[in-house]
Amino acid sequence: MDRKIAEAMVDVLYQVQREVGYTFSFDEVYATAVQTRRKVDLNGKDDDYVPILFENELRDLVMRSRINLLGRLNECAKFATTSRA
């Protein structure tokens, strides 16, 4: 991966963080970058596609995280109401 693509990925990272109000950990960024590279290679795309897919993968990560949080909160609410009965 060349410097231009890496810089574009950093720009995407900061943009997504600002827009969604979430700060990614190093591990999340690394795992998402690895997953992005793997998907780009599997689909036979060139490096210009990396920043586009990276943005999508970051947004998906936030969405999944929020869905999981809502699920945990829902389970806690169920437990709280059933334990009082």
Side-chain angles (χ1 to χ4, degrees), residues 12-76:
V12 164
L13 172 65
Y14 289 134
Q15 173 194 335
V16 171
Q17 286 186 144
R18 275 192 312 273
E19 289 177 7
V20 301
Y22 183 87
T23 301
F24 295 95
S25 70
F26 174 82
D27 291 339
E28 289 171 324
V29 173
Y30 179 78
T32 303
V34 169
Q35 179 176 334
T36 298
R37 179 82 256 171
R38 184 178 129 315
K39 285 185 174 182
V40 166
D41 291 343
L42 283 172
N43 290 303
K45 303 287 186 179
D46 61 10
D47 279 352
D48 290 336
Y49 187 63
V50 170
I52 296 165
L53 184 58
F54 184 61
E55 178 180 356
N56 188 58
E57 294 297 323
L58 289 172
R59 290 181 186 279
D60 284 352
L61 175 64
V62 172
M63 182 177 57
R64 285 190 308 274
S65 176
R66 289 179 177 168
I67 289 169
N68 290 338
L69 174 61
L70 290 173
R72 286 191 300 274
L73 290 173
N74 190 34
E75 287 301 309
C76 289

Side-chain angles (χ1 to χ4, degrees), residues 78-85:
K78 283 183 195 176
F79 178 75
T81 58
T82 58
S83 65
R84 283 189 246 156

